[in-house]
């Protein structure tokens, strides 16, 4: 599973970093999403990634298998 983050759509709400801190961080500058690695390994990380996508208010995150 791979995560894609569209930083043009990201509004810096930080839900992804709160929901899945092992997968997402935020830019110190403007708060936009920073991927800590695009690949997701293991069922726990996959669940966290799905939750982060679901909670993102801007639709900036997506997953592909
Ligand atoms: S939750 Fe969405 S809008 Fe908020 S920082 Fe993460 S990607 Fe950006």
């Amino acid at each position: 599973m791979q995560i894609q983050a569209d930083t043009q759509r990201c509004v810096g709400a930080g839900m992804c970093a709160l929901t899945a801190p092992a997968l997402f961080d935020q830019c110190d500058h403007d708060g936009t999403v920073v991927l800590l690695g695009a690949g997701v390994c293991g069922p726990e990380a996959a669940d966290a990634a799905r939750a982060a996508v679901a909670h993102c208010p801007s639709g900036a995150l997506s997953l592909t298998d």
Side-chain angles (χ1 to χ4, degrees), residues 5-6 9-17 24-26 31-34 52 55-61:
D6 182 346
R9 280 183 88 161
C10 175
V11 296
M15 287 304 295
C16 54
F24 302 97
D25 199 355
Q26 288 179 270
T32 54
V33 62
V34 175
H55 289 114
C56 174
S58 68
L61 302 176

Side-chain angles (χ1 to χ4, degrees), residues 2-42:
Q2 297 283 316
I3 306 170
Q4 289 83 39
D6 182 346
T7 54
Q8 299 297 310
R9 280 183 88 161
C10 175
V11 296
M15 287 304 295
C16 54
L18 283 173
T19 305
L23 300 174
F24 302 97
D25 199 355
Q26 288 179 270
C27 174
D28 289 337
H29 225 38
D30 58 8
T32 54
V33 62
V34 175
L35 291 181
L36 298 178
V40 178
C41 297

